[in-house]
Amino acid sequence: MAALKLHLTLTASRRLDEILGFIAQDNLEAADKLSETIEAALERVAAFPASGRRIPEAPERPERELVVPPCVRIFYRVEGGFLWVPFATRAEQEFHGEVLDD
């Protein structure tokens, strides 16, 4: 099976940029490494979309999540031939499923 095409919403892209920007303020090398890790993880899940886990706070939702250590949660769903990423957050932040409804 071919990998799905990746689509990050503007919200998800901005959130990831904010997370990486915050880390870069103190440690640019760590932010660069995390960015590479996120990119590799998204490529992996695009190839194997069922590999992400159900969202613990909202197991009834169709989305899954990808946890990228040490601090990022990326939420995604499969739509057609796309891996649709509507939202990302820092792992320690409280998550509410309704943010995925946009």
Side-chain angles (χ1 to χ4, degrees), residues 61-100:
R61 295 194 61 101
E63 293 87 1
R64 291 181 173 264
E65 78 172 323
L66 173 63
V67 178
V68 181
C71 62
V72 180
R73 293 174 75 184
I74 298 172
F75 303 92
Y76 70 92
R77 66 181 171 266
V78 175
E79 286 186 8
F82 290 90
L83 185 77
W84 186 264
V85 180
F87 195 72
T89 190
R90 289 189 53 94
E92 71 275 2
Q93 291 178 322
E94 191 172 326
F95 171 74
H96 300 281
E98 61 272 5
V99 299
L100 300 175

Side-chain angles (χ1 to χ4, degrees), residues 1 4 10 19 43 71 76 79 87:
M1 178 178 163
L4 298 168
L10 186 56
I19 292 166
E43 288 175 8
C71 62
Y76 70 92
E79 286 186 8
F87 195 72

Side-chain angles (χ1 to χ4, degrees), residues 11 29 34 37 40 44 46 52-53 61 66 70 79 83:
T11 299
E29 186 176 322
L34 180 57
T37 302
R44 226 175 8 261
R53 71 178 187 173
R61 295 194 61 101
L66 173 63
E79 286 186 8
L83 185 77

Side-chain angles (χ1 to χ4, degrees), residues 11-46:
T11 299
S13 182
R14 284 182 179 163
R15 295 287 302 199
L16 288 171
D17 286 346
E18 288 170 6
I19 292 166
L20 293 170
F22 179 77
I23 294 168
Q25 290 176 0
D26 291 329
N27 189 333
L28 184 57
E29 186 176 322
D32 288 343
K33 183 174 173 147
L34 180 57
S35 177
E36 291 171 5
T37 302
I38 289 169
E39 185 175 329
L42 286 170
E43 288 175 8
R44 226 175 8 261
V45 82

